[in-house]
Amino acid sequence: MLSPGEKARVALCKILIQRTNIIILDEPTNHFDPETQKIIGENFKNYTGTLIMVSHNPSFVEQIGVTRMLVLPER
């Protein structure tokens, strides 16, 4: 039995190993502690394809070096 965080780590590792051209992620850091977020961020920073991501974690977005961002206003 894997925890939600462990399942997410395995899924993200599989995605990065496959070397796809585009990755779509919805809240990729949801179940991660700060150290794991840092490790995952370093791996996505080196990703050369297109990354489409929804995130409420500004430090993670900044860490991976996003070059274009759409910020939706608060209601």
Side-chain angles (χ1 to χ4, degrees):
M1 259 322 174
L2 296 176
S3 71
E6 291 167 331
K7 288 178 184 178
R9 285 185 195 107
V10 170
L12 289 175
C13 288
K14 286 172 64 175
I15 288 169
L16 287 169
I17 289 172
Q18 291 176 349
R19 299 182 186 258
T20 59
N21 294 325
I22 185 169
I23 298 175
I24 301 172
L25 300 169
D26 181 18
E27 294 292 343
T29 60
N30 257 4
H31 300 287
F32 297 149
D33 58 273
E35 183 62 30
T36 302
Q37 289 180 25
K38 185 176 179 180
I39 293 167
I40 295 295
E42 284 299 316
N43 284 284
F44 278 112
K45 187 175 186 177
N46 298 324
Y47 178 69
T48 58
T50 300
L51 179 62
I52 299 172
M53 176 177 59
V54 174
S55 180
H56 291 93
N57 185 339
S59 61
F60 180 77
V61 172
E62 183 178 311
Q63 178 190 5
I64 61 175
V66 171
T67 57
R68 292 185 190 174
M69 185 182 323
L70 172 63
V71 179
L72 298 176
E74 294 184 27
R75 292 185 192 209

